[in-house]
Amino acid sequence: MNDLADKCRFAAVDPLAQLNDAQRAAATFGILPGGAGDGYGHRPLLVIAGAGSGKTSTLAHRVAQLVAGGTDPHRILLLTFSRRAASEMSRRVESILARQNAARAVAGTRSLAWAGTFHGIGARLLREYAGRIGLDPAFTIHDRQDSGDLMNLARHALGFSSKGKRFPLKGTCLAIYSAVLNTQALLGEVLQSGFPWCAEWESDLRRLFLAYVEAKQAQQVLDYDDLLLYWAQMVGEPELAREIGERFAQVLVDEYQDTNRLQAAILLAMKPDGRGLTVVGDDAQSIYAFRGATVRNILDFPGHFDPPAQVVTLDRNYRSTQPILTAANGVIAGARERFTKDLWSDRTSAEKPKLVSLRDDADQALYVVEQTLARREAGIRLKAQAILFRAAQHSARLEIELTRRNIPFVKFGGLKFLEAAHVKDVLAILRWAQNPRDRLAGFRAMQLIAGIGPKTADRILANVTTANPGGTLLGEQPVPESARAAWIEFAALIDGSVRVAARWPAAFDRICKWYQAQIDRLHDGAEARQADIEQLARIAATYPSAERFLTELTLDPPDATSDQAGPPLLDEDYLILSTIHSAKGQEWTAVSVLNAIDGCIPSDLATGSAAEIDEERRLLYVAMTRARTHLELLLPQRFYVSQQATYGDRHVYASRTRFIGNSLLPHFEQTCWPRSADPPAAHPNGRQQALDLAARMRAMWK
């Protein structure tokens, strides 16, 4: 009892008591004993944080130490890859400082306002500096779907939709455009590496992208990529770079291995000497190259500075058992280039990870179901079990079997809140009211009125966008007589309330009520959609302005209530199905990895270069390190060839993933399912009763 009291008193005195030596070194780098110094004058810090090594806790303690050491919370920039991660980090910092009884610092953490995503922080800075970089502060932000629609409008306007040969569709065009910006590569290089079938359209794509950019500028809108591009261009000016860099004494970046070249360029422009710069990540978990992320950012980080950045490695794992870590270490050791580290754990176990050989994916589904139920009976809830796979279609057979066996499951993915048609309708009205030059929003909003089609909407937009501000009243625009009354009501909604900022959020309530009166005419399933609109209104009431509401909602969309609507769950428990990419950052007691074979891991579509193969290796490593106690990799042997007659028998045999070579097999338990039945025992008189068929065969030719 006395020992426990002593530990509690020690923890109150030493806020770093819960950290191991490596975590403590990372949390206190550049901060003198006693909390003096804020690390601003010290060289940059790179924290290589292995899976399950307490990265979030370490980063939170570093922020807390900086605040306690005298750094103004308003001069701390914390960049994460989700707003929820930033909020969680702020909460942890406040909790740590509270334990130190630092009332001044605790109050200060509530002012840790510069914590958010790259895109969110970029949007805030662009609005602040809009006047100095030629932007309208009232710009709106398009999500991916809106950006694709605007790209399509430019595509049609240039006549690319009527070519004799197929021109890339809007989604492909937007993906190419985004890849060029985020990778900082030439258009020709992007086409050759990622879109070779589009290479013949290089000159036309260049014209299309110019038209797309001009359309955005004319409408005063930015897309996701623009938030980073404009920020990078802004800090490309020495004066602005120095001003923004000095504004933040400390810049801390989480998940640095997931940054792209544009994000890295922003950081290096703001902190060219690296003073006050801390980045945290794990090169072994860099798996988002398809989004433009590059592992080179974290691998090359120390060499960008002179002297090189300080490197601290967190290699103690608090999640998995040692046999799982030994196998995972062996897999990642084959990477061509990495920061050398071997994860270790105090959690010992006699159970090795399993390599399970199965006949085909049908047996794979049956095996997963049986093992899942067996573990459930042994006390492991379904929620504590996860089935991971490289691509979403790999779980199709399993989903059918789970449904047949009445086992509830949740598969990560699905419709996002802002992708729902009714939500996009309401937001389009608000966006157009805030920015009359946003043609895409206006085009969608006007067609919500019965009797107004694309031609009328296009004519009104032309009148509005060419008129001087306040020179054209919406109510006076030419519309069909049948739609006159509804149009006047709609115009009054726009002109009379929404553009008056002081009436927020009452103005938005009016929009929601107007739309709810139309929802039965516009959509089926009105009840579920009504719930979404009501939820949207409640969200809006928590923001101080329409501008802030639109920005935050676009950059960090919540889940849809209508996504959850439907028959109630058959059980309070449910199994987790997830792609490996979606599983990053998660952990479960038991993990099964489907199709751990060549062609699936690595994907046969991602073996064109050594860099792609290395990323596939890291993907398997991420999957393996999600498991706490039980891990199994499933190896179906036979795959039937598609595009043949139903019930055809053409098939190929698969081989174990190349990332688990023969040298790693001792780290695994190898088994097969179903187990072969024992051969029948030989009859004791079998030899005496046997026919001499061999003699008969010879006699046929005598």
Side-chain angles (χ1 to χ4, degrees):
M1 197 66 178
N2 290 334
D3 291 343
L4 180 61
D6 291 342
K7 288 181 180 180
C8 293
R9 283 194 296 271
F10 179 70
V13 175
D14 182 9
L16 306 176
Q18 299 176 346
L19 305 185
N20 60 42
D21 291 343
Q23 292 172 329
R24 183 185 289 260
T28 60
F29 176 75
I31 304 173
L32 302 177
D38 62 4
Y40 183 67
H42 294 262
R43 70 180 195 263
L45 172 65
L46 169 62
V47 182
I48 301 297
S53 61
K55 164 183 68 72
T56 302
S57 177
T58 303
L59 188 57
H61 275 86
R62 177 160 181 79
V63 176
Q65 288 299 297
L66 290 168
V67 175
T71 304
D72 184 355
H74 288 85
R75 299 191 66 204
I76 294 178
L77 174 60
L78 177 62
L79 293 166
T80 66
F81 276 80
S82 74
R83 287 185 59 207
R84 284 169 289 279
S87 299
E88 173 65 13
M89 192 70 67
S90 298
R91 186 193 64 77
R92 289 198 183 196
V93 171
E94 184 173 342
S95 176
I96 295 167
L97 292 171
R99 291 199 297 269
Q100 300 180 56
N101 297 317
R104 171 191 57 81
V106 172
T109 57
R110 299 192 182 99
S111 302
L112 206 70
W114 291 97
T117 65
F118 272 93
H119 294 88
I121 297 297
R124 290 182 59 187
L125 288 173
L126 292 179
R127 293 198 190 278
E128 282 195 25
Y129 290 88
R132 299 173 62 179
I133 58 176
L135 272 180
D136 188 329
F139 66 81
T140 54
I141 303 172
H142 276 181
D143 60 18
R144 289 295 183 189
Q145 187 170 341
D146 287 339
S147 299
D149 292 342
L150 186 58
M151 180 74 75
N152 207 34
L153 288 176
R155 182 174 174 272
H156 284 296
L158 292 172
F160 294 154
S161 58
S162 59
K163 286 185 173 288
K165 294 184 179 180
R166 66 180 181 119
F167 191 80
L169 296 176
K170 64 178 183 179
T172 304
C173 294
L174 188 63
I176 297 171
Y177 173 82
S178 183
V180 170
L181 296 187
N182 289 308
T183 63
Q184 297 289 278
L186 298 175
L187 175 58
E189 295 174 355
V190 170
L191 292 175
Q192 289 297 330
S193 61
F195 307 87
W197 64 93
C198 303
E200 64 177 300
W201 303 110
E202 181 177 351
S203 60
D204 287 336
L205 285 169
R206 196 176 299 278
R207 290 174 55 203
L208 172 63
F209 297 157
L210 174 60
Y212 174 63
V213 171
E214 290 175 342
K216 288 189 295 180
Q217 293 177 349
Q219 300 176 35
Q220 299 172 4
V221 299
L222 303 182
D223 59 24
Y224 281 154
D225 298 318
D226 287 334
L227 299 177
L228 299 181
L229 181 62
Y230 276 67
W231 187 3
Q233 293 291 328
M234 183 168 63
V235 296
E237 296 296 320
E239 182 180 349
L240 282 173
R242 184 169 55 254
E243 181 178 336
I244 297 174
E246 292 176 353
R247 179 174 183 171
F248 302 109
Q250 291 289 326
V251 179
L252 302 98
V253 186
D254 195 12
E255 304 287 3
Y256 191 66
Q257 78 279 351
D258 295 333
T259 56
N260 57 42
R261 295 191 184 279
L262 197 55
Q263 291 164 325
I266 291 171
L267 294 175
L268 294 177
M270 291 173 56
K271 298 290 182 182
D273 56 3
R275 291 188 302 165
L277 180 59
T278 299
V279 302
V280 181
D282 183 9
D283 57 294
Q285 298 187 69
S286 178
I287 59 175
Y288 292 109
F290 66 94
R291 296 180 183 172
T294 173
V295 71
R296 298 279 2 142
N297 283 350
I298 193 168
L299 292 176
D300 299 339
F301 181 81
H304 283 301
F305 311 99
D306 187 19
Q310 176 74 20
V311 180
V312 177
T313 301
L314 309 183
D315 56 5
R316 181 178 179 180
N317 181 282
Y318 294 92
R319 175 187 300 158
S320 306
T321 62
Q322 187 58 51
I324 293 176
L325 295 178
T326 301
N329 288 336
V331 168
I332 200 62
R336 294 178 305 141
E337 198 174 0
R338 67 187 185 105
F339 287 105
T340 302
K341 66 176 182 304
D342 285 327
L343 298 181
W344 62 275
S345 173
D346 289 333
R347 295 188 62 206
T348 59
S349 175
E351 180 183 340
K352 295 181 179 180
K354 292 181 180 178
L355 291 174
V356 185
S357 297
L358 307 120
R359 280 194 293 257
D360 50 30
D361 64 340
D363 272 8
Q364 179 176 245
L366 292 173
Y367 174 82
V368 168
V369 170
E370 288 198 8
Q371 292 300 306
T372 297
L373 293 177
R375 286 192 288 261
R376 180 175 179 268
E377 292 300 317
I380 303 176
R381 300 185 66 193
L382 294 180
K383 287 182 180 179
Q385 304 182 52
I387 315 300
L388 306 184
F389 31 87
R390 172 64 177 84
Q393 66 267 26
H394 291 175
S395 66
R397 181 64 69 94
L398 175 60
E399 292 176 46
I400 295 172
E401 187 62 23
L402 289 170
T403 303
R404 189 182 71 82
R405 300 281 287 272
N406 204 28
I407 300 175
F409 65 91
V410 172
K411 186 175 180 179
F412 280 80
L415 186 68
K416 304 300 183 186
F417 187 71
L418 295 185
E419 296 172 356
H422 51 289
V423 176
K424 290 185 71 68
D425 289 344
V426 175
L427 293 180
I429 300 172
L430 181 59
R431 286 196 178 101
W432 192 46
Q434 293 294 308
N435 180 10
R437 296 185 181 275
D438 189 340
R439 292 183 61 88
L440 201 64
F443 196 72
R444 183 182 188 111
M446 281 187 283
Q447 292 184 76
L448 298 174
I449 302 170
I452 294 184
K455 291 184 178 180
T456 303
D458 192 58
R459 184 169 59 250
I460 294 174
L461 283 171
N463 294 338
V464 171
T465 54
T466 56
N468 296 323
T472 301
L473 296 177
L474 284 181
E476 299 177 356
Q477 294 298 311
V479 298
E481 195 59 34
S482 60
R484 173 63 59 186
W487 174 253
I488 291 175
E489 181 186 1
F490 178 77
L493 177 72
I494 300 292
D495 288 329
S497 64
V498 179
R499 292 176 183 170
V500 181
R503 297 185 180 178
W504 179 265
F508 188 66
D509 289 337
R510 288 188 60 193
I511 289 178
C512 293
K513 290 177 180 176
W514 179 87
Y515 185 81
Q516 286 176 313
Q518 322 294 323
I519 203 166
D520 285 322
R521 175 176 58 83
L522 296 170
H523 301 289
D524 296 325
E527 185 175 350
R529 298 176 190 271
Q530 291 275 12
D532 280 347
I533 302 302
E534 292 170 1
Q535 177 66 15
L536 191 64
R538 287 192 291 270
I539 295 172
T542 64
Y543 291 91
S545 66
E547 176 187 280
R548 182 77 176 271
F549 168 67
L550 287 172
T551 299
E552 299 286 347
L553 195 64
T554 304
L555 296 178
D556 185 36
D559 292 329
T561 56
S562 55
D563 265 353
Q564 313 300 325
L569 289 175
L570 300 174
D571 199 315
E572 74 280 0
D573 201 9
Y574 49 84
L575 184 65
I576 304 297
L577 273 60
S578 174
T579 63
I580 301 173
H581 287 96
S582 297
K584 187 172 175 293
Q586 307 295 317
E587 59 183 58
W588 296 274
T589 301
V591 170
S592 300
V593 183
L594 303 184
N595 295 345
I597 58 169
D598 257 27
C600 295
I601 305 177
S603 169
D604 54 6
L605 299 177
T607 55
S609 66
E612 288 179 322
I613 294 174
D614 266 3
E615 174 148 331
E616 293 291 302
R617 180 186 297 275
R618 295 192 294 269
L619 200 62
L620 178 59
Y621 174 82
V622 168
M624 295 174 66
T625 54
R626 300 310 96 194
R628 296 194 193 101
T629 307
H630 309 285
L631 172 65
E632 52 187 16
L633 308 183
L634 308 184
L635 311 173
Q637 301 298 304
R638 179 181 294 183
F639 284 82
Y640 290 93
V641 179
S642 60
Q643 298 181 346
Q644 61 172 316
T646 307
Y647 306 117
D649 60 358
R650 291 185 60 205
H651 61 271
V652 296
Y653 283 105
S655 59
R656 184 181 67 243
T657 174
R658 69 187 70 181
F659 303 137
I660 301 178
N662 292 337
S663 62
L664 297 183
L665 292 181
H667 302 318
F668 294 87
E669 175 188 344
Q670 300 183 71
T671 184
C672 59
W673 189 93
R675 297 187 181 275
S676 302
D678 294 330
H683 194 280
N685 299 320
R687 179 64 66 182
Q688 289 81 354
Q689 297 176 358
L691 298 175
D692 192 356
L693 295 182
R696 293 186 183 184
M697 298 301 106
R698 293 193 302 271
M700 291 174 62
W701 303 101
K702 291 182 178 178

